Amino acid sequence: RTSNMSAPRSLVLTGAVLLSCGALFGAFVPAPRAPVSAPSATMALSAAALATPTAAHAEDGAVWIPALSAVGAGFAIGLAAIGSGVGQGIASGRCIDGISRQPEVADDLRGVLLLSLAFMESLTIYGLVIALVLLFSNPLIK
C-alpha cells in the first residue's frame, strides 16, 4: 500500500538534502595559497627518486618487467577475488530467495548453489595461479 504523499515527501526530502549539502560545502573556506618559492629540497628529492630506477637498472629497461608483473599480479588476484565475491553473494541471495518462495525445492537449489559456488571459486584460484606465475616464474623475464 502506497501513500498519496510519497512523491511530494520524496521531493521535499531530496530538496532538503541538496540544500543542506550546499550549505555544508559553502561553509568551507579555501585555504590561502602559499607563494611559490625557488626549487626546494622536496623538488630535488623528487627528481632523485624519479632518476634512481633508471640509474640503477639502465640495461634495456629491465626494471619495468618485474615491477609491472607485480602490479599485474595484484590486479589479477584482486579482480578475481572481487568478481567471485560479488558473484557468490548474488548467487547465494537468489538461492535464499528461491528457497523462501518454494521450500520444497530447497535440496535441489542447494545442490545447484554449491556446484555454482565451486565453479566461481575455481575462477578465483585461476586468478591466484596467474598472479603466482607473474611473480615467481614469469616468462617475460630472461
Side-chain angles (χ1 to χ4, degrees), residues 32-108:
R33 292 184 174 250
V36 177
S37 62
S40 62
T42 306
M43 291 177 152
L45 286 175
S46 298
L50 287 174
T52 300
T54 57
H57 300 283
E59 72 276 352
D60 299 331
V63 71
W64 292 108
I65 292 174
L68 292 178
S69 294
V71 170
F75 276 121
I77 193 63
L79 291 176
I82 289 171
S84 178
V86 169
Q88 287 179 0
I90 291 171
S92 298
R94 299 286 168 91
C95 180
I96 290 172
D97 288 343
I99 290 173
S100 66
R101 287 192 196 113
Q102 294 180 338
E104 63 272 5
V105 295
D107 291 333
D108 295 336

Side-chain angles (χ1 to χ4, degrees), residues 23-34:
L24 178 69
F25 289 131
F28 292 107
V29 177
R33 292 184 174 250

